[in-house]
Amino acid sequence: MSNSKIQMLGFVILTTGLISCASCSSDDSSTTDDSEFNELAVLEVNANYFTTGEGSVSLTTVPCTLSDGTETDCYQIVTTSTPSDHSMGPWCPDNIADDTEAGGIWLESGEVYDVDGEFIENMASFYNDSNWLMYDENGDIYVTDSEEDCINAANPNVGEEYENFCVECLPSYITDVSQTFLIPITPVLQNSPAFFATGPGGPGSNVPSTRGIALNGVEFSAPAPTDRILGAYTLAPFDDAGGHINVHQGYHYHAATGYSTKIEQEDEHSALFGYALDGIGIYELLDANGEAPTDLDELRGHTDDVRGYHYHVDEAGNNNFINGLKGAYAI
């Protein structure tokens, strides 16, 4: 994008390579007191960070209109929703004797649990509900084993015939899935953030449910409806990368566990591993020293003099990425 076009949008290039939001008000509650920057700044989306080499992700530049009316350029990201940088699965173990290698994970009350045979065996105790019994007298676990069962068991009005089933949708069910995302190349910060409609971020209104996209092209989805899943006496585990499959959406993440492509930072700041729908970078929670930031705002964002304003992902056990968008998003 040309400098003249950036200036028309209210942005100016700083000598550090950051882009400053010249239209943000000085009393914005999310601004920083950093002496080097008297206004919030952001980095442009870097197309070179995406894993386009394997053919599962492609980026093109297209004109777009953002939620605040800004006309600008976006990256149109077309993805097969299958990661090229790690394998998918497993999700459900086959028998209650199976170890952690045979299953995925479950997110509950801020914690990450291995879905191994022992977890399945102890579901009744874990949830204090004797109706949980997901295995037969031989210890074999009831697992969906067809695309039809995958679709039916993932239905919000799942039938009683799927009670006490571990729901496992396989990569072979999504060979023809393609998704398209638009994210602004140059983030346009807003004085009033947009909170997501679900999850811990707030009630929201017309904000998209998708949080963003990983560098490998996999969607960062809204929190998984774990209460609804459990309420049907089903379990739909995530794999160790925090993802699982439905046939319409393909493979998608509900948590960040460190498996996908990341861009390490030279100053030991936590690594970049994706972008939110507003084009602002999403970084891992912990830095190279294992420390989490302590000054995040209500969106899970803050600013520094290298990356400008950016987000840090939530803990995996919270079934969440970020709580809302500081920037305008494509409509």
Side-chain angles (χ1 to χ4, degrees), residues 112-149:
V112 178
Y113 294 90
D114 285 315
V115 180
D116 53 11
E118 183 179 6
F119 182 88
I120 298 294
E121 182 180 16
N122 293 311
M123 289 281 287
S125 298
F126 187 79
Y127 285 110
N128 193 28
D129 186 340
S130 60
N131 287 325
W132 285 104
L133 185 62
M134 300 184 68
Y135 56 93
D136 63 19
E137 64 275 9
N138 297 317
D140 292 326
I141 296 167
Y142 305 121
V143 181
T144 56
D145 60 2
S146 69
E147 183 174 354
E148 181 181 5
D149 283 343

PDB file of all heavy atoms in Angstrom, residues 112-149:
ATOM      1  N   VAL A 112      -6.584 -27.997  31.172  1.00  0.00           N
ATOM      2  CA  VAL A 112      -6.468 -28.890  30.027  1.00  0.00           C
ATOM      3  C   VAL A 112      -6.276 -30.309  30.546  1.00  0.00           C
ATOM      4  O   VAL A 112      -5.353 -30.568  31.324  1.00  0.00           O
ATOM      5  CB  VAL A 112      -5.276 -28.494  29.134  1.00  0.00           C
ATOM      6  CG1 VAL A 112      -5.132 -29.467  27.970  1.00  0.00           C
ATOM      7  CG2 VAL A 112      -5.446 -27.066  28.614  1.00  0.00           C
ATOM      8  N   TYR A 113      -7.146 -31.213  30.117  1.00  0.00           N
ATOM      9  CA  TYR A 113      -7.090 -32.604  30.571  1.00  0.00           C
ATOM     10  C   TYR A 113      -6.789 -33.527  29.392  1.00  0.00           C
ATOM     11  O   TYR A 113      -7.335 -33.342  28.297  1.00  0.00           O
ATOM     12  CB  TYR A 113      -8.426 -33.020  31.196  1.00  0.00           C
ATOM     13  CG  TYR A 113      -8.759 -32.300  32.473  1.00  0.00           C
ATOM     14  CD1 TYR A 113      -9.478 -31.104  32.451  1.00  0.00           C
ATOM     15  CD2 TYR A 113      -8.346 -32.796  33.704  1.00  0.00           C
ATOM     16  CE1 TYR A 113      -9.793 -30.434  33.623  1.00  0.00           C
ATOM     17  CE2 TYR A 113      -8.659 -32.134  34.884  1.00  0.00           C
ATOM     18  CZ  TYR A 113      -9.372 -30.951  34.839  1.00  0.00           C
ATOM     19  OH  TYR A 113      -9.674 -30.277  36.009  1.00  0.00           O
ATOM     20  N   ASP A 114      -5.931 -34.509  29.608  1.00  0.00           N
ATOM     21  CA  ASP A 114      -5.687 -35.533  28.602  1.00  0.00           C
ATOM     22  C   ASP A 114      -6.897 -36.461  28.523  1.00  0.00           C
ATOM     23  O   ASP A 114      -7.354 -36.988  29.544  1.00  0.00           O
ATOM     24  CB  ASP A 114      -4.447 -36.356  28.962  1.00  0.00           C
ATOM     25  CG  ASP A 114      -3.158 -35.595  28.710  1.00  0.00           C
ATOM     26  OD1 ASP A 114      -3.049 -34.966  27.643  1.00  0.00           O
ATOM     27  OD2 ASP A 114      -2.268 -35.628  29.593  1.00  0.00           O
ATOM     28  N   VAL A 115      -7.387 -36.652  27.302  1.00  0.00           N
ATOM     29  CA  VAL A 115      -8.484 -37.608  27.104  1.00  0.00           C
ATOM     30  C   VAL A 115      -7.866 -38.960  26.797  1.00  0.00           C
ATOM     31  O   VAL A 115      -7.741 -39.398  25.660  1.00  0.00           O
ATOM     32  CB  VAL A 115      -9.430 -37.148  25.978  1.00  0.00           C
ATOM     33  CG1 VAL A 115     -10.555 -38.164  25.784  1.00  0.00           C
ATOM     34  CG2 VAL A 115     -10.032 -35.790  26.310  1.00  0.00           C
ATOM     35  N   ASP A 116      -7.432 -39.630  27.845  1.00  0.00           N
ATOM     36  CA  ASP A 116      -6.924 -40.997  27.727  1.00  0.00           C
ATOM     37  C   ASP A 116      -7.996 -41.952  28.238  1.00  0.00           C
ATOM     38  O   ASP A 116      -9.114 -41.541  28.576  1.00  0.00           O
ATOM     39  CB  ASP A 116      -5.622 -41.156  28.499  1.00  0.00           C
ATOM     40  CG  ASP A 116      -5.735 -40.706  29.957  1.00  0.00           C
ATOM     41  OD1 ASP A 116      -6.876 -40.461  30.434  1.00  0.00           O
ATOM     42  OD2 ASP A 116      -4.693 -40.616  30.630  1.00  0.00           O
ATOM     43  N   GLY A 117      -7.660 -43.234  28.278  1.00  0.00           N
ATOM     44  CA  GLY A 117      -8.652 -44.202  28.749  1.00  0.00           C
ATOM     45  C   GLY A 117      -9.102 -43.944  30.161  1.00  0.00           C
ATOM     46  O   GLY A 117     -10.283 -44.108  30.498  1.00  0.00           O
ATOM     47  N   GLU A 118      -8.199 -43.533  31.020  1.00  0.00           N
ATOM     48  CA  GLU A 118      -8.553 -43.262  32.412  1.00  0.00           C
ATOM     49  C   GLU A 118      -9.545 -42.116  32.529  1.00  0.00           C
ATOM     50  O   GLU A 118     -10.477 -42.170  33.343  1.00  0.00           O
ATOM     51  CB  GLU A 118      -7.286 -42.950  33.207  1.00  0.00           C
ATOM     52  CG  GLU A 118      -7.540 -42.730  34.693  1.00  0.00           C
ATOM     53  CD  GLU A 118      -6.257 -42.438  35.450  1.00  0.00           C
ATOM     54  OE1 GLU A 118      -5.198 -42.295  34.811  1.00  0.00           O
ATOM     55  OE2 GLU A 118      -6.322 -42.346  36.696  1.00  0.00           O
ATOM     56  N   PHE A 119      -9.374 -41.085  31.713  1.00  0.00           N
ATOM     57  CA  PHE A 119     -10.314 -39.961  31.741  1.00  0.00           C
ATOM     58  C   PHE A 119     -11.720 -40.440  31.378  1.00  0.00           C
ATOM     59  O   PHE A 119     -12.704 -40.091  32.047  1.00  0.00           O
ATOM     60  CB  PHE A 119      -9.860 -38.867  30.768  1.00  0.00           C
ATOM     61  CG  PHE A 119     -10.736 -37.645  30.761  1.00  0.00           C
ATOM     62  CD1 PHE A 119     -10.506 -36.606  31.646  1.00  0.00           C
ATOM     63  CD2 PHE A 119     -11.795 -37.532  29.862  1.00  0.00           C
ATOM     64  CE1 PHE A 119     -11.310 -35.472  31.642  1.00  0.00           C
ATOM     65  CE2 PHE A 119     -12.603 -36.412  29.849  1.00  0.00           C
ATOM     66  CZ  PHE A 119     -12.364 -35.379  30.750  1.00  0.00           C
ATOM     67  N   ILE A 120     -11.808 -41.236  30.298  1.00  0.00           N
ATOM     68  CA  ILE A 120     -13.110 -41.761  29.879  1.00  0.00           C
ATOM     69  C   ILE A 120     -13.706 -42.663  30.960  1.00  0.00           C
ATOM     70  O   ILE A 120     -14.899 -42.590  31.266  1.00  0.00           O
ATOM     71  CB  ILE A 120     -12.979 -42.543  28.561  1.00  0.00           C
ATOM     72  CG1 ILE A 120     -12.492 -41.616  27.430  1.00  0.00           C
ATOM     73  CG2 ILE A 120     -14.301 -43.210  28.196  1.00  0.00           C
ATOM     74  CD1 ILE A 120     -13.450 -40.533  27.030  1.00  0.00           C
ATOM     75  N   GLU A 121     -12.884 -43.485  31.555  1.00  0.00           N
ATOM     76  CA  GLU A 121     -13.363 -44.412  32.585  1.00  0.00           C
ATOM     77  C   GLU A 121     -13.945 -43.671  33.784  1.00  0.00           C
ATOM     78  O   GLU A 121     -14.900 -44.146  34.414  1.00  0.00           O
ATOM     79  CB  GLU A 121     -12.214 -45.309  33.033  1.00  0.00           C
ATOM     80  CG  GLU A 121     -12.606 -46.362  34.068  1.00  0.00           C
ATOM     81  CD  GLU A 121     -11.434 -47.222  34.491  1.00  0.00           C
ATOM     82  OE1 GLU A 121     -10.272 -46.833  34.223  1.00  0.00           O
ATOM     83  OE2 GLU A 121     -11.673 -48.304  35.082  1.00  0.00           O
ATOM     84  N   ASN A 122     -13.395 -42.505  34.074  1.00  0.00           N
ATOM     85  CA  ASN A 122     -13.784 -41.782  35.284  1.00  0.00           C
ATOM     86  C   ASN A 122     -14.695 -40.588  35.022  1.00  0.00           C
ATOM     87  O   ASN A 122     -14.817 -39.698  35.869  1.00  0.00           O
ATOM     88  CB  ASN A 122     -12.533 -41.312  36.023  1.00  0.00           C
ATOM     89  CG  ASN A 122     -11.734 -42.461  36.583  1.00  0.00           C
ATOM     90  OD1 ASN A 122     -12.266 -43.358  37.235  1.00  0.00           O
ATOM     91  ND2 ASN A 122     -10.433 -42.465  36.312  1.00  0.00           N
ATOM     92  N   MET A 123     -15.364 -40.572  33.864  1.00  0.00           N
ATOM     93  CA  MET A 123     -16.253 -39.461  33.547  1.00  0.00           C
ATOM     94  C   MET A 123     -17.352 -39.278  34.590  1.00  0.00           C
ATOM     95  O   MET A 123     -17.694 -38.154  34.963  1.00  0.00           O
ATOM     96  CB  MET A 123     -16.882 -39.664  32.166  1.00  0.00           C
ATOM     97  CG  MET A 123     -15.926 -39.496  31.000  1.00  0.00           C
ATOM     98  SD  MET A 123     -15.605 -37.776  30.565  1.00  0.00           S
ATOM     99  CE  MET A 123     -17.151 -37.318  29.807  1.00  0.00           C
ATOM    100  N   ALA A 124     -17.903 -40.387  35.073  1.00  0.00           N
ATOM    101  CA  ALA A 124     -18.993 -40.294  36.054  1.00  0.00           C
ATOM    102  C   ALA A 124     -18.523 -39.605  37.326  1.00  0.00           C
ATOM    103  O   ALA A 124     -19.236 -38.769  37.902  1.00  0.00           O
ATOM    104  CB  ALA A 124     -19.543 -41.685  36.360  1.00  0.00           C
ATOM    105  N   SER A 125     -17.325 -39.928  37.767  1.00  0.00           N
ATOM    106  CA  SER A 125     -16.779 -39.285  38.964  1.00  0.00           C
ATOM    107  C   SER A 125     -16.371 -37.847  38.681  1.00  0.00           C
ATOM    108  O   SER A 125     -16.608 -36.950  39.499  1.00  0.00           O
ATOM    109  CB  SER A 125     -15.567 -40.074  39.479  1.00  0.00           C
ATOM    110  OG  SER A 125     -15.929 -41.383  39.848  1.00  0.00           O
ATOM    111  N   PHE A 126     -15.784 -37.623  37.517  1.00  0.00           N
ATOM    112  CA  PHE A 126     -15.296 -36.291  37.164  1.00  0.00           C
ATOM    113  C   PHE A 126     -16.435 -35.282  37.141  1.00  0.00           C
ATOM    114  O   PHE A 126     -16.299 -34.152  37.636  1.00  0.00           O
ATOM    115  CB  PHE A 126     -14.596 -36.347  35.809  1.00  0.00           C
ATOM    116  CG  PHE A 126     -13.899 -35.083  35.413  1.00  0.00           C
ATOM    117  CD1 PHE A 126     -12.659 -34.749  35.939  1.00  0.00           C
ATOM    118  CD2 PHE A 126     -14.481 -34.210  34.500  1.00  0.00           C
ATOM    119  CE1 PHE A 126     -12.010 -33.577  35.577  1.00  0.00           C
ATOM    120  CE2 PHE A 126     -13.839 -33.038  34.125  1.00  0.00           C
ATOM    121  CZ  PHE A 126     -12.597 -32.725  34.667  1.00  0.00           C
ATOM    122  N   TYR A 127     -17.570 -35.698  36.592  1.00  0.00           N
ATOM    123  CA  TYR A 127     -18.724 -34.805  36.491  1.00  0.00           C
ATOM    124  C   TYR A 127     -19.803 -35.096  37.534  1.00  0.00           C
ATOM    125  O   TYR A 127     -20.883 -34.500  37.487  1.00  0.00           O
ATOM    126  CB  TYR A 127     -19.321 -34.860  35.086  1.00  0.00           C
ATOM    127  CG  TYR A 127     -18.458 -34.111  34.078  1.00  0.00           C
ATOM    128  CD1 TYR A 127     -17.736 -34.796  33.105  1.00  0.00           C
ATOM    129  CD2 TYR A 127     -18.345 -32.724  34.134  1.00  0.00           C
ATOM    130  CE1 TYR A 127     -16.939 -34.110  32.196  1.00  0.00           C
ATOM    131  CE2 TYR A 127     -17.549 -32.031  33.233  1.00  0.00           C
ATOM    132  CZ  TYR A 127     -16.850 -32.728  32.274  1.00  0.00           C
ATOM    133  OH  TYR A 127     -16.049 -32.045  31.379  1.00  0.00           O
ATOM    134  N   ASN A 128     -19.499 -36.010  38.438  1.00  0.00           N
ATOM    135  CA  ASN A 128     -20.451 -36.343  39.512  1.00  0.00           C
ATOM    136  C   ASN A 128     -21.825 -36.657  38.935  1.00  0.00           C
ATOM    137  O   ASN A 128     -22.853 -36.142  39.380  1.00  0.00           O
ATOM    138  CB  ASN A 128     -20.543 -35.192  40.519  1.00  0.00           C
ATOM    139  CG  ASN A 128     -21.256 -35.593  41.804  1.00  0.00           C
ATOM    140  OD1 ASN A 128     -21.232 -36.764  42.203  1.00  0.00           O
ATOM    141  ND2 ASN A 128     -21.896 -34.633  42.447  1.00  0.00           N
ATOM    142  N   ASP A 129     -21.836 -37.545  37.941  1.00  0.00           N
ATOM    143  CA  ASP A 129     -23.078 -37.885  37.240  1.00  0.00           C
ATOM    144  C   ASP A 129     -22.972 -39.338  36.795  1.00  0.00           C
ATOM    145  O   ASP A 129     -22.191 -39.679  35.897  1.00  0.00           O
ATOM    146  CB  ASP A 129     -23.261 -36.962  36.034  1.00  0.00           C
ATOM    147  CG  ASP A 129     -24.600 -37.154  35.337  1.00  0.00           C
ATOM    148  OD1 ASP A 129     -25.218 -38.213  35.511  1.00  0.00           O
ATOM    149  OD2 ASP A 129     -25.001 -36.232  34.593  1.00  0.00           O
ATOM    150  N   SER A 130     -23.772 -40.189  37.375  1.00  0.00           N
ATOM    151  CA  SER A 130     -23.691 -41.627  37.110  1.00  0.00           C
ATOM    152  C   SER A 130     -24.181 -42.005  35.712  1.00  0.00           C
ATOM    153  O   SER A 130     -24.022 -43.161  35.295  1.00  0.00           O
ATOM    154  CB  SER A 130     -24.491 -42.407  38.157  1.00  0.00           C
ATOM    155  OG  SER A 130     -25.866 -42.018  38.121  1.00  0.00           O
ATOM    156  N   ASN A 131     -24.770 -41.063  34.974  1.00  0.00           N
ATOM    157  CA  ASN A 131     -25.221 -41.368  33.615  1.00  0.00           C
ATOM    158  C   ASN A 131     -24.065 -41.509  32.632  1.00  0.00           C
ATOM    159  O   ASN A 131     -24.259 -42.007  31.520  1.00  0.00           O
ATOM    160  CB  ASN A 131     -26.170 -40.277  33.114  1.00  0.00           C
ATOM    161  CG  ASN A 131     -27.529 -40.352  33.788  1.00  0.00           C
ATOM    162  OD1 ASN A 131     -28.021 -41.435  34.093  1.00  0.00           O
ATOM    163  ND2 ASN A 131     -28.133 -39.200  34.034  1.00  0.00           N
ATOM    164  N   TRP A 132     -22.867 -41.067  33.028  1.00  0.00           N
ATOM    165  CA  TRP A 132     -21.726 -41.202  32.139  1.00  0.00           C
ATOM    166  C   TRP A 132     -21.186 -42.635  32.179  1.00  0.00           C
ATOM    167  O   TRP A 132     -20.745 -43.123  33.214  1.00  0.00           O
ATOM    168  CB  TRP A 132     -20.600 -40.248  32.541  1.00  0.00           C
ATOM    169  CG  TRP A 132     -20.845 -38.818  32.173  1.00  0.00           C
ATOM    170  CD1 TRP A 132     -21.212 -37.798  32.993  1.00  0.00           C
ATOM    171  CD2 TRP A 132     -20.733 -38.250  30.865  1.00  0.00           C
ATOM    172  NE1 TRP A 132     -21.346 -36.630  32.295  1.00  0.00           N
ATOM    173  CE2 TRP A 132     -21.041 -36.867  30.975  1.00  0.00           C
ATOM    174  CE3 TRP A 132     -20.392 -38.759  29.615  1.00  0.00           C
ATOM    175  CZ2 TRP A 132     -21.033 -36.007  29.886  1.00  0.00           C
ATOM    176  CZ3 TRP A 132     -20.375 -37.903  28.528  1.00  0.00           C
ATOM    177  CH2 TRP A 132     -20.699 -36.546  28.660  1.00  0.00           C
ATOM    178  N   LEU A 133     -21.239 -43.318  31.053  1.00  0.00           N
ATOM    179  CA  LEU A 133     -20.646 -44.649  30.908  1.00  0.00           C
ATOM    180  C   LEU A 133     -20.353 -44.853  29.428  1.00  0.00           C
ATOM    181  O   LEU A 133     -21.187 -45.356  28.671  1.00  0.00           O
ATOM    182  CB  LEU A 133     -21.579 -45.749  31.426  1.00  0.00           C
ATOM    183  CG  LEU A 133     -20.985 -47.164  31.430  1.00  0.00           C
ATOM    184  CD1 LEU A 133     -19.766 -47.257  32.351  1.00  0.00           C
ATOM    185  CD2 LEU A 133     -22.038 -48.186  31.844  1.00  0.00           C
ATOM    186  N   MET A 134     -19.154 -44.461  29.009  1.00  0.00           N
ATOM    187  CA  MET A 134     -18.815 -44.397  27.587  1.00  0.00           C
ATOM    188  C   MET A 134     -18.058 -45.625  27.086  1.00  0.00           C
ATOM    189  O   MET A 134     -17.385 -45.571  26.059  1.00  0.00           O
ATOM    190  CB  MET A 134     -17.979 -43.135  27.312  1.00  0.00           C
ATOM    191  CG  MET A 134     -18.683 -41.848  27.663  1.00  0.00           C
ATOM    192  SD  MET A 134     -17.713 -40.358  27.215  1.00  0.00           S
ATOM    193  CE  MET A 134     -17.760 -40.470  25.435  1.00  0.00           C
ATOM    194  N   TYR A 135     -18.190 -46.761  27.770  1.00  0.00           N
ATOM    195  CA  TYR A 135     -17.458 -47.957  27.360  1.00  0.00           C
ATOM    196  C   TYR A 135     -18.259 -49.192  27.737  1.00  0.00           C
ATOM    197  O   TYR A 135     -19.139 -49.155  28.610  1.00  0.00           O
ATOM    198  CB  TYR A 135     -16.077 -47.991  28.009  1.00  0.00           C
ATOM    199  CG  TYR A 135     -16.090 -47.913  29.524  1.00  0.00           C
ATOM    200  CD1 TYR A 135     -16.081 -49.081  30.296  1.00  0.00           C
ATOM    201  CD2 TYR A 135     -16.130 -46.687  30.180  1.00  0.00           C
ATOM    202  CE1 TYR A 135     -16.109 -49.020  31.684  1.00  0.00           C
ATOM    203  CE2 TYR A 135     -16.159 -46.616  31.564  1.00  0.00           C
ATOM    204  CZ  TYR A 135     -16.147 -47.779  32.306  1.00  0.00           C
ATOM    205  OH  TYR A 135     -16.186 -47.716  33.684  1.00  0.00           O
ATOM    206  N   ASP A 136     -17.945 -50.305  27.072  1.00  0.00           N
ATOM    207  CA  ASP A 136     -18.674 -51.549  27.323  1.00  0.00           C
ATOM    208  C   ASP A 136     -17.940 -52.400  28.356  1.00  0.00           C
ATOM    209  O   ASP A 136     -16.955 -51.965  28.965  1.00  0.00           O
ATOM    210  CB  ASP A 136     -18.896 -52.314  26.022  1.00  0.00           C
ATOM    211  CG  ASP A 136     -17.595 -52.754  25.342  1.00  0.00           C
ATOM    212  OD1 ASP A 136     -16.543 -52.790  26.021  1.00  0.00           O
ATOM    213  OD2 ASP A 136     -17.644 -53.073  24.137  1.00  0.00           O
ATOM    214  N   GLU A 137     -18.408 -53.633  28.527  1.00  0.00           N
ATOM    215  CA  GLU A 137     -17.847 -54.505  29.559  1.00  0.00           C
ATOM    216  C   GLU A 137     -16.403 -54.901  29.271  1.00  0.00           C
ATOM    217  O   GLU A 137     -15.682 -55.341  30.179  1.00  0.00           O
ATOM    218  CB  GLU A 137     -18.706 -55.768  29.713  1.00  0.00           C
ATOM    219  CG  GLU A 137     -18.771 -56.679  28.500  1.00  0.00           C
ATOM    220  CD  GLU A 137     -19.837 -56.264  27.485  1.00  0.00           C
ATOM    221  OE1 GLU A 137     -20.415 -55.159  27.647  1.00  0.00           O
ATOM    222  OE2 GLU A 137     -20.081 -57.040  26.536  1.00  0.00           O
ATOM    223  N   ASN A 138     -15.974 -54.739  28.030  1.00  0.00           N
ATOM    224  CA  ASN A 138     -14.582 -55.023  27.672  1.00  0.00           C
ATOM    225  C   ASN A 138     -13.685 -53.793  27.777  1.00  0.00           C
ATOM    226  O   ASN A 138     -12.488 -53.876  27.480  1.00  0.00           O
ATOM    227  CB  ASN A 138     -14.511 -55.582  26.250  1.00  0.00           C
ATOM    228  CG  ASN A 138     -15.242 -56.903  26.110  1.00  0.00           C
ATOM    229  OD1 ASN A 138     -15.126 -57.775  26.967  1.00  0.00           O
ATOM    230  ND2 ASN A 138     -16.000 -57.035  25.026  1.00  0.00           N
ATOM    231  N   GLY A 139     -14.256 -52.682  28.168  1.00  0.00           N
ATOM    232  CA  GLY A 139     -13.496 -51.437  28.248  1.00  0.00           C
ATOM    233  C   GLY A 139     -13.384 -50.705  26.931  1.00  0.00           C
ATOM    234  O   GLY A 139     -12.690 -49.682  26.848  1.00  0.00           O
ATOM    235  N   ASP A 140     -14.056 -51.225  25.894  1.00  0.00           N
ATOM    236  CA  ASP A 140     -14.020 -50.557  24.590  1.00  0.00           C
ATOM    237  C   ASP A 140     -14.919 -49.323  24.614  1.00  0.00           C
ATOM    238  O   ASP A 140     -16.083 -49.389  25.040  1.00  0.00           O
ATOM    239  CB  ASP A 140     -14.477 -51.504  23.485  1.00  0.00           C
ATOM    240  CG  ASP A 140     -13.491 -52.644  23.264  1.00  0.00           C
ATOM    241  OD1 ASP A 140     -12.274 -52.415  23.428  1.00  0.00           O
ATOM    242  OD2 ASP A 140     -13.938 -53.769  22.935  1.00  0.00           O
ATOM    243  N   ILE A 141     -14.380 -48.217  24.144  1.00  0.00           N
ATOM    244  CA  ILE A 141     -15.077 -46.937  24.207  1.00  0.00           C
ATOM    245  C   ILE A 141     -15.983 -46.775  22.983  1.00  0.00           C
ATOM    246  O   ILE A 141     -15.607 -47.132  21.867  1.00  0.00           O
ATOM    247  CB  ILE A 141     -14.046 -45.790  24.292  1.00  0.00           C
ATOM    248  CG1 ILE A 141     -13.256 -45.926  25.603  1.00  0.00           C
ATOM    249  CG2 ILE A 141     -14.723 -44.423  24.211  1.00  0.00           C
ATOM    250  CD1 ILE A 141     -12.009 -45.057  25.654  1.00  0.00           C
ATOM    251  N   TYR A 142     -17.175 -46.242  23.225  1.00  0.00           N
ATOM    252  CA  TYR A 142     -18.109 -45.986  22.131  1.00  0.00           C
ATOM    253  C   TYR A 142     -17.642 -44.733  21.379  1.00  0.00           C
ATOM    254  O   TYR A 142     -17.655 -43.625  21.916  1.00  0.00           O
ATOM    255  CB  TYR A 142     -19.519 -45.777  22.663  1.00  0.00           C
ATOM    256  CG  TYR A 142     -20.021 -46.901  23.537  1.00  0.00           C
ATOM    257  CD1 TYR A 142     -20.421 -46.659  24.854  1.00  0.00           C
ATOM    258  CD2 TYR A 142     -20.102 -48.204  23.061  1.00  0.00           C
ATOM    259  CE1 TYR A 142     -20.889 -47.676  25.660  1.00  0.00           C
ATOM    260  CE2 TYR A 142     -20.576 -49.241  23.863  1.00  0.00           C
ATOM    261  CZ  TYR A 142     -20.962 -48.976  25.164  1.00  0.00           C
ATOM    262  OH  TYR A 142     -21.417 -49.992  25.968  1.00  0.00           O
ATOM    263  N   VAL A 143     -17.236 -44.928  20.111  1.00  0.00           N
ATOM    264  CA  VAL A 143     -16.705 -43.835  19.298  1.00  0.00           C
ATOM    265  C   VAL A 143     -17.460 -43.801  17.974  1.00  0.00           C
ATOM    266  O   VAL A 143     -17.683 -44.841  17.352  1.00  0.00           O
ATOM    267  CB  VAL A 143     -15.198 -44.034  19.018  1.00  0.00           C
ATOM    268  CG1 VAL A 143     -14.660 -42.872  18.180  1.00  0.00           C
ATOM    269  CG2 VAL A 143     -14.417 -44.165  20.310  1.00  0.00           C
ATOM    270  N   THR A 144     -17.859 -42.615  17.538  1.00  0.00           N
ATOM    271  CA  THR A 144     -18.478 -42.497  16.221  1.00  0.00           C
ATOM    272  C   THR A 144     -17.481 -42.971  15.165  1.00  0.00           C
ATOM    273  O   THR A 144     -16.292 -42.668  15.237  1.00  0.00           O
ATOM    274  CB  THR A 144     -18.877 -41.039  15.926  1.00  0.00           C
ATOM    275  OG1 THR A 144     -17.735 -40.192  16.047  1.00  0.00           O
ATOM    276  CG2 THR A 144     -19.941 -40.555  16.899  1.00  0.00           C
ATOM    277  N   ASP A 145     -17.967 -43.700  14.163  1.00  0.00           N
ATOM    278  CA  ASP A 145     -17.037 -44.307  13.206  1.00  0.00           C
ATOM    279  C   ASP A 145     -17.421 -44.068  11.753  1.00  0.00           C
ATOM    280  O   ASP A 145     -16.966 -44.791  10.865  1.00  0.00           O
ATOM    281  CB  ASP A 145     -16.894 -45.804  13.473  1.00  0.00           C
ATOM    282  CG  ASP A 145     -18.215 -46.557  13.351  1.00  0.00           C
ATOM    283  OD1 ASP A 145     -19.243 -45.915  13.028  1.00  0.00           O
ATOM    284  OD2 ASP A 145     -18.224 -47.774  13.578  1.00  0.00           O
ATOM    285  N   SER A 146     -18.241 -43.052  11.491  1.00  0.00           N
ATOM    286  CA  SER A 146     -18.601 -42.735  10.121  1.00  0.00           C
ATOM    287  C   SER A 146     -18.871 -41.241  10.010  1.00  0.00           C
ATOM    288  O   SER A 146     -19.097 -40.552  11.014  1.00  0.00           O
ATOM    289  CB  SER A 146     -19.850 -43.510   9.675  1.00  0.00           C
ATOM    290  OG  SER A 146     -20.996 -43.025  10.362  1.00  0.00           O
ATOM    291  N   GLU A 147     -18.853 -40.738   8.774  1.00  0.00           N
ATOM    292  CA  GLU A 147     -19.159 -39.318   8.563  1.00  0.00           C
ATOM    293  C   GLU A 147     -20.595 -39.012   8.970  1.00  0.00           C
ATOM    294  O   GLU A 147     -20.880 -37.946   9.532  1.00  0.00           O
ATOM    295  CB  GLU A 147     -18.929 -38.950   7.097  1.00  0.00           C
ATOM    296  CG  GLU A 147     -19.161 -37.475   6.806  1.00  0.00           C
ATOM    297  CD  GLU A 147     -18.790 -37.097   5.374  1.00  0.00           C
ATOM    298  OE1 GLU A 147     -18.252 -37.956   4.644  1.00  0.00           O
ATOM    299  OE2 GLU A 147     -19.044 -35.935   4.999  1.00  0.00           O
ATOM    300  N   GLU A 148     -21.510 -39.934   8.697  1.00  0.00           N
ATOM    301  CA  GLU A 148     -22.906 -39.730   9.092  1.00  0.00           C
ATOM    302  C   GLU A 148     -23.033 -39.594  10.601  1.00  0.00           C
ATOM    303  O   GLU A 148     -23.737 -38.706  11.112  1.00  0.00           O
ATOM    304  CB  GLU A 148     -23.762 -40.895   8.592  1.00  0.00           C
ATOM    305  CG  GLU A 148     -25.238 -40.751   8.943  1.00  0.00           C
ATOM    306  CD  GLU A 148     -26.075 -41.930   8.462  1.00  0.00           C
ATOM    307  OE1 GLU A 148     -25.478 -42.905   7.942  1.00  0.00           O
ATOM    308  OE2 GLU A 148     -27.300 -41.873   8.619  1.00  0.00           O
ATOM    309  N   ASP A 149     -22.340 -40.463  11.338  1.00  0.00           N
ATOM    310  CA  ASP A 149     -22.381 -40.369  12.801  1.00  0.00           C
ATOM    311  C   ASP A 149     -21.745 -39.076  13.283  1.00  0.00           C
ATOM    312  O   ASP A 149     -22.214 -38.454  14.246  1.00  0.00           O
ATOM    313  CB  ASP A 149     -21.650 -41.563  13.424  1.00  0.00           C
ATOM    314  CG  ASP A 149     -22.473 -42.838  13.385  1.00  0.00           C
ATOM    315  OD1 ASP A 149     -23.699 -42.742  13.190  1.00  0.00           O
ATOM    316  OD2 ASP A 149     -21.882 -43.921  13.522  1.00  0.00           O
TER     317      ASP A 149
END
